[in-house]
Amino acid sequence: MTLTEAIKITNRSADDHENPQRIHLVCGFTPLHLETFLKAYGRLRSGGSGISFIAGLYGDLAGNLERAGREASATIVVMEWADLDPRLGVRDLGGWGADLGPDIVTEVSGRLARLEQALIKTAERGSVAISGPTLPLPPVAHTPGTRASSLDIHLSEMVAAFFSRVTGMSGVRAVSRQRLDELSPLQDRFDLKMELFAGFPYKQRHADVFAGLLIDVLYPPAPKKGLITDLDNTLWSGIVGEIGITNVCWDLGRKAQVHGLYQQLVAALADSGVLVGVASKNDAAVAGEALRRTDMLIKEGSLFPVEVNWGPKSASVERILKAWNVGSESVVFVDDSPMELAEVKAAFPQMECLLFPAGDPEAVWKLLWQLRDLFGKDSIREEDRLRSASLRSAAVIGDVGEGEAPADFLAGLNASITIDSRKDTADERAFELINKTNQFNLNGRRLTEADWKSSLQQRASFLVRVSYQDKFGPLGKIAVLTGAMDGGTMYVHSWVMSCRAFSRRIEHHTLDWLFRHSGAKTIGFDYTATDRNMPLQEFFRGVTSDELKPGLMLTESEFREKCAFLPHRVEEMADTAATG
Amino acid sequence: MEEIKSRLNRSFATVFPHLAPEKIPGANMDNAGSWDSVAHMTLLTVVDEEFGIETDPEDAENLTSWQALFDHVSSRVSGAA
């Protein structure tokens, strides 16, 4: 975007918001246009919320980071070579002699160590987006510029080691150097004249691209949940109904490697918890046999549901969405046919529909990266690996009938629920559930990492995490509650449960445990009806006769009267300080 | 000339949204409260974008009023024509 466009966006933000979200912008130079672009991208990413930045002192990166306090909910750290040693910049004249190399290395090492210590404290308070040097080194080494100097290699090695350590801290994410290189070529970044005149070292285009990446890293978009793929000329090369099961291919020898790369990525996505379904117009028996070929890179068991028929693709997609119980906005559809993509897009306008460009390897490469971006996540947890298998078992339970499964069926599940009330604020899965669950969600409220950590640091607060498993396998951690005790009343501030865990009375067990464990006779809920939390509303209608409205209160006697059936075994991992 | 004035006024209104329109033609770094050194560099860039020109940062210290910017832009635009 141009600077004019960015200012117009931020002007709208200033008009609309009296209490903008505050972010520390930690850098050693005058942030000038970078700050403007950050505000603009921040507003676009937040859906309109205002963002203000707290900048520090010129030339004191580490000091600025050390002084960054609790007044901001997140931090952006922009590091350039001059911040690690002023002799690596252009505004100081400390010398570039060959004998200075060891001293520069020592200086850089010391400053990186100081930054690392400061980052440890900053990361405890909220999210951090950080970038390593984006600008070229000056001609400080004695070697010609065509050759990598030992100083250059040594400095890069130290910075790489620093990033390896700090990105291991919870909440610290680094900008991808590769992506920055793609979007902002090195030779188009440094504005020497502007740096000398105004202390701002970036060309405008670089400031624009860099700001967009920093906001992406700080506030990553919610990853998509499911991928629906076509088969012929997409998952493999060829039309299986015409050339036969053994002749569809995805290998280098038959010039079909791009399909192998696609399979390889889809398999990796499935391993990381992405739901992968198939929508194909084909003979079901033939396609099924092809999917069972032992040389497939993605195993048949990773694909669910497999909708192979001659009906419209949109109907297949609709059935897959129902089996997954996810919204179309969380799903990506990939097909080699523009017509099929258009048909599905017309039925599900919010779905991302992407062409598989089989004849264009460069375009396939872009597609693979696009899919990585759409499904990328910070970390992969056990629950991610369990997701597909648990949906299969949910489908079995769903086959019993609509709504809750019959009592004898539930009792026969041999299920156990584990309720963990230890207050682990570093539990990323719990934080993730709060921020991505829509249907069984007490109020739809999203939390920043800073909100999450500070609310759980309150003395009377509690955190309850619920896991489940039955004879079909584990679902992992599927529900989270937070709240606080106030006298004899318990107040629940957040309550979410994964849709994979519906119809099993886990929510009933959770409330039963809360009443028993806390000794509270009444539980108050920070309830708000949202467009999507109908399953939660349905649950409350089953356990209380009161009108559902903010400030909803539930007494133990009414709950017990309406909820006698608790079929599962409950195990506890309790922290006595948490709810008592 | 009127078109240049209008476009320059638009640039000022973008960078100084709280500056009353009637005060824009008489604005300078001394009488426009929010016109500090950072806003100055921003204004120069916005003016560059509006007129498709490239102002040397070294000229910035002489372009500290609406009138100076008007003269600067007029010479650059007419010089290019």
Side-chain angles (χ1 to χ4, degrees):
Chain A
M1 71 173 72
T2 65
L3 189 69
T4 306
E5 289 165 344
I7 293 170
K8 286 179 178 171
I9 291 169
T10 59
N11 284 348
R12 285 205 301 273
S13 173
D15 290 342
D16 296 349
H17 298 276
E18 291 180 356
N19 297 307
Q21 185 172 351
R22 307 188 82 192
I23 299 173
H24 282 297
L25 174 54
V26 178
C27 61
F29 54 83
T30 309
L32 205 61
H33 303 333
L34 179 68
E35 182 174 343
T36 306
F37 283 118
L38 284 169
K39 280 182 187 167
Y41 282 111
R43 179 188 159 97
L44 293 176
R45 174 52 50 83
S46 67
S49 299
I51 287 181
S52 75
F53 285 92
I54 307 165
L57 301 177
Y58 184 89
D60 189 11
L61 180 74
N64 290 336
L65 189 57
E66 287 162 350
R67 285 186 291 274
R70 294 185 178 277
E71 63 273 25
S73 59
T75 304
I76 289 174
V77 182
V78 176
M79 174 200 302
E80 292 296 348
W81 288 116
D83 299 312
L84 300 179
D85 188 320
R87 291 168 290 191
L88 299 178
V90 295
R91 290 177 68 91
D92 287 271
L93 300 173
W96 287 343
D99 56 336
L100 290 176
D103 191 55
I104 289 174
V105 167
T106 303
E107 183 67 28
V108 170
S109 174
R111 292 196 185 204
L112 286 173
R114 189 177 161 198
L115 281 170
E116 189 174 339
Q117 287 305 308
L119 266 176
I120 292 170
K121 291 180 182 167
T122 307
E124 286 171 359
R125 294 193 292 266
S127 306
V128 178
I130 185 168
S131 166
T134 71
L135 299 176
L137 278 164
V140 62
H142 65 276
T143 51
T146 50
R147 197 182 310 160
S149 70
S150 61
L151 178 62
D152 178 353
I153 292 167
H154 202 155
L155 292 175
S156 298
E157 184 183 27
M158 283 194 293
V159 169
F162 167 82
F163 273 88
S164 176
R165 291 191 300 274
V166 300
T167 52
M169 299 177 194
S170 173
V172 178
R173 306 184 194 98
V175 171
S176 159
R177 192 181 183 91
Q178 179 171 312
R179 182 60 57 88
L180 185 63
D181 289 347
E182 285 169 12
L183 299 176
S184 178
L186 185 64
Q187 69 273 16
D188 295 334
R189 297 179 185 175
F190 188 35
D191 191 333
L192 178 58
K193 192 173 261 187
M194 195 71 160
E195 165 73 329
L196 295 175
F197 181 79
F200 179 66
Y202 296 158
K203 287 185 177 173
Q204 197 175 316
R205 163 83 183 140
H206 180 55
D208 171 27
V209 169
F210 191 28
L213 285 178
L214 284 163
I215 290 295
D216 259 0
V217 168
L218 190 63
Y219 299 119
K224 300 284 185 185
K225 297 175 180 172
L227 170 67
I228 300 173
T229 183
D230 178 35
L231 296 178
D232 290 340
N233 289 325
T234 301
L235 201 62
W236 53 58
S237 174
I239 298 172
V240 68
E242 293 179 0
I243 64 175
I245 293 156
T246 55
N247 288 322
V248 290
C249 55
W250 46 87
D251 60 297
L252 202 55
R254 285 180 279 184
K255 298 187 173 135
Q257 186 78 351
V258 291
H259 300 276
L261 293 171
Y262 176 63
Q263 276 194 29
Q264 189 165 270
L265 182 69
V266 173
L269 293 176
D271 280 350
S272 69
V274 173
L275 304 166
V276 181
V278 169
S280 169
K281 284 181 178 173
N282 248 314
D283 180 281
V286 172
E289 200 171 332
L291 285 171
R292 284 189 290 277
R293 266 178 54 172
T294 55
D295 55 342
M296 281 279 290
L297 297 169
I298 179 162
K299 297 305 166 199
E300 190 199 7
S302 301
L303 304 171
F304 176 78
V306 177
E307 286 281 344
V308 180
N309 52 66
W310 298 106
K313 286 265 172 103
S314 59
S316 294
V317 167
E318 187 171 11
R319 285 189 290 273
I320 293 170
L321 294 180
K322 191 174 178 198
W324 286 346
N325 195 19
V326 299
S328 61
E329 75 284 356
S330 301
V331 173
V332 178
F333 174 58
V334 179
D335 200 300
D336 68 307
S337 161
M339 191 272 289
E340 301 290 11
L341 290 169
E343 195 257 333
V344 170
K345 187 74 177 174
F348 303 100
Q350 290 184 292
M351 188 175 291
E352 192 95 38
C353 295
L354 303 176
L355 181 73
F356 189 89
D360 184 349
E362 295 289 337
V364 171
W365 181 251
K366 284 184 182 162
L367 172 69
L368 299 181
W369 267 112
Q370 190 175 3
L371 291 173
R372 262 296 182 216
D373 288 349
L374 288 167
F375 291 101
K377 53 181 81 170
D378 281 346
S379 57
I380 299 167
R381 288 178 280 278
E382 190 55 27
E383 285 80 6
D384 294 320
R385 300 184 198 281
L386 296 172
R387 190 163 293 128
S388 182
S390 67
L391 275 165
R392 286 170 186 271
S393 66
V396 172
I397 292 171
D399 286 346
V400 174
E402 290 293 322
E404 189 169 289
D408 57 344
F409 181 82
L410 287 175
L413 285 173
N414 191 25
S416 72
I417 293 172
T418 302
I419 297 185
D420 184 349
S421 61
R422 293 172 298 176
K423 223 161 47 169
D424 179 6
T425 58
D427 185 341
E428 292 179 3
R429 167 64 177 165
F431 178 64
E432 178 193 72
L433 267 176
I434 293 270
N435 278 324
K436 78 173 195 181
T437 306
N438 294 308
Q439 297 179 62
F440 196 99
N441 188 323
L442 188 60
N443 45 39
R445 202 167 297 143
R446 304 305 196 207
L447 301 175
T448 65
E449 280 187 39
D451 295 336
W452 168 252
K453 287 176 178 172
S454 68
S455 68
L456 291 175
Q457 280 164 1
Q458 307 297 319
R459 197 164 159 271
S461 67
F462 66 84
L463 166 66
V464 174
R465 296 165 289 164
V466 182
S467 304
Y468 172 92
Q469 69 170 13
D470 60 27
K471 67 181 183 183
F472 295 112
L475 296 191
K477 201 176 296 163
I478 41 73
V480 178
L481 282 95
T482 66
M485 286 296 293
D486 185 0
T489 303
M490 167 174 274
Y491 290 94
V492 175
H493 300 152
S494 304
W495 187 9
V496 298
M497 185 170 75
S498 166
C499 57
R500 294 181 294 126
F502 288 178
S503 309
R504 293 169 170 84
R505 295 184 77 80
I506 297 170
E507 59 275 40
H508 301 79
H509 274 282
T510 305
L511 277 191
D512 168 66
W513 183 89
L514 275 185
F515 276 120
R516 282 192 294 107
H517 189 74
S518 68
K521 296 299 174 196
T522 305
I523 298 178
F525 295 91
D526 189 2
Y527 165 81
T528 303
T530 72
D531 292 341
R532 301 184 65 180
N533 68 359
M534 273 68 86
L536 175 110
Q537 296 176 34
E538 196 62 29
F539 162 70
F540 272 129
R541 287 196 192 94
V543 297
T544 179
S545 307
D546 290 350
E547 183 189 351
L548 300 187
K549 58 184 181 184
L552 177 70
M553 305 294 282
L554 177 65
T555 63
E556 182 174 16
S557 56
E558 186 174 18
F559 172 70
R560 300 266 174 238
E561 183 189 322
K562 295 185 174 174
C563 178
F565 178 54
L566 296 166
H568 309 313
R569 186 172 64 255
V570 174
E571 294 165 6
E572 299 180 13
M573 300 171 81
D575 175 353
T576 51
T579 57
Chain B
M1 284 299 166
E2 286 308 310
E3 190 199 340
I4 292 176
K5 282 182 186 173
S6 168
R7 291 166 68 187
L8 187 60
N9 288 350
R10 195 160 64 211
S11 298
F12 269 74
T14 299
V15 179
F16 306 115
H18 300 298
L19 187 62
E22 66 274 14
K23 292 191 172 175
I24 286 177
N28 59 50
M29 272 190 96
D30 295 326
N31 66 17
S34 53
W35 192 340
D36 59 14
S37 59
V38 172
H40 188 51
M41 297 312 299
T42 303
L43 176 64
L44 293 183
T45 306
V46 167
V47 169
D48 280 0
E49 286 179 353
E50 174 64 35
F51 292 95
I53 60 177
E54 196 168 327
T55 299
D56 194 319
E58 289 179 12
D59 293 336
E61 60 191 38
N62 301 318
L63 302 174
T64 55
S65 68
W66 182 93
Q67 187 60 52
L69 271 164
F70 175 76
D71 294 342
H72 169 71
V73 169
S74 298
S75 67
R76 297 294 293 272
V77 171
S78 61

